[in-house]
Amino acid sequence: MLPRVLRRIAGFLVVALVVFVSYKSLRFAGFQLRWENPDQGLEHDLEDRQSLVEVARATFPDGFRTSQPVPAGELSQEGELALVAENASVGIGELVTIDFESPPPGKSFCANCPVSDEWEVSGLLLSFHSWTANSTRPYIIDASNFLPSNSPRHALGGALSQEHGLEVGVIQLDFPGRPRKVEFTIYGPDMIDPFEIIVWSRGNRIEDTAVIRTVATRYRPAGRSQFRSERVLAEAATGLDRISLDGWGPPGHVLIIDNLVIDP
């Protein structure tokens, strides 16, 4: 009888050890369960807030993810106006590079603040969708805790919450001028492969194979597991309406965007 009891105890300890190691691995990768995340005030250091990223749900609202083709007017969530008209001309505007370090002429922004139409004159509109965030806008953040060393400090990320830190969700880039080519750098945990990037042209989703991704570097931010940066090129002769960058998951994860080039 005693050996049987000991075997059961040993088996339980092995299972508990596996669960504990898995949990610690997720925590080290930057994930955190919602109920582990106590309320945090403004007095908490922003670096601590940015490190809090929840594990996202595995289900989505009806119509939140769409398959090709769909009318241009339905590219947005229900109740949200489409930001690019179906009959919009292609290739409007000039070649621009947006590094999110400084605002365009006549505009302003602050670090760790929401943005939406600050770069409208350059042909870019921004929005953000998440079940957990109150903000419908992404944020310009001090991303030094997520980027390779010696990188510029600021980049585009999800919404920041006083209570939950950097929220996970979908960052949307809309292009009213319908450029034929858009290029940018994306950063996120290397364990997420691939990063989910959805590109739209005239109401149709471009095939994933038509989006060129080049791994730029793999690196390890302080206190986190390995991250990866990719240079992404999306191109369509019919013009690009929208690029959706989905960090919702599962599992929910950080996505940071920088060095955006809009080429009409």
Side-chain angles (χ1 to χ4, degrees):
M1 177 66 69
L2 185 57
R4 181 180 300 174
V5 173
L6 292 176
R7 285 197 298 271
R8 289 181 178 177
I9 292 175
F12 173 78
L13 291 176
V14 170
V15 172
L17 180 61
V18 171
V19 172
F20 178 77
V21 171
S22 300
Y23 166 74
K24 285 297 185 180
S25 297
L26 286 173
R27 289 292 300 274
F28 186 73
F31 305 115
Q32 185 164 7
L33 301 177
R34 173 70 73 185
W35 57 82
E36 295 183 310
N37 203 354
D39 290 345
Q40 301 179 47
L42 287 174
E43 69 276 6
H44 285 263
D45 188 88
L46 179 62
E47 178 176 321
D48 295 331
R49 286 166 43 202
Q50 288 180 341
S51 68
L52 303 179
V53 182
E54 69 164 346
V55 176
R57 299 174 180 84
T59 56
F60 303 87
D62 291 340
F64 190 68
R65 294 186 182 221
T66 51
S67 58
Q68 59 178 355
V70 296
E74 296 178 11
L75 290 182
S76 303
Q77 284 186 289
E78 184 178 354
E80 178 192 354
L81 295 177
L83 297 180
V84 179
E86 186 174 4
N87 60 350
S89 300
V90 175
I92 303 300
E94 299 179 355
L95 175 69
V96 295
T97 298
I98 301 173
D99 60 10
F100 302 110
E101 287 294 322
S102 56
K107 295 284 185 175
S108 64
F109 68 73
C110 57
N112 307 313
C113 294
V115 287
S116 57
D117 61 356
E118 281 77 1
W119 289 274
E120 183 175 11
V121 69
S122 299
L124 175 66
L125 295 170
L126 300 166
S127 59
F128 179 74
H129 299 289
S130 171
W131 285 6
T132 58
N134 292 325
S135 176
T136 58
R137 297 181 289 172
Y139 275 51
I140 295 295
I141 65 171
D142 181 344
S144 53
N145 292 325
F146 299 104
L147 301 180
S149 59
N150 301 321
S151 296
R153 292 183 60 184
H154 299 105
L156 182 69
L160 276 175
S161 166
Q162 295 180 15
E163 296 180 354
H164 308 129
L166 191 61
E167 298 279 4
V168 297
V170 180
I171 299 173
Q172 292 188 159
L173 316 175
D174 285 276
F175 306 100
R178 271 217 170 101
R180 296 178 177 87
K181 183 187 299 183
V182 171
E183 192 173 1
F184 57 93
T185 302
I186 187 169
Y187 304 85
D190 196 30
M191 65 181 294
I192 305 299
D193 189 16
F195 300 134
E196 185 164 358
I197 302 171
I198 303 174
V199 183
W200 302 92
S201 176
R202 291 205 175 275
N204 293 287
R205 176 176 171 174
I206 295 176
E207 294 292 338
D208 293 341
T209 54
V211 180
I212 301 173
R213 306 164 181 247
T214 304
V215 175
T217 185
R218 287 182 167 87
Y219 60 99
R220 191 178 297 274
R224 290 182 173 82
S225 62
Q226 183 167 273
F227 268 49
R228 180 178 77 255
S229 69
E230 295 182 1
R231 192 64 181 169
V232 179
L233 173 62
E235 193 169 6
T238 52
L240 301 172
D241 304 333
R242 165 177 291 175
I243 297 178
S244 296
L245 306 162
D246 190 348
W248 186 259
H253 61 92
V254 172
L255 276 182
I256 306 294
I257 298 95
D258 206 1
N259 298 319
L260 176 72
V261 178
I262 303 174
D263 188 347

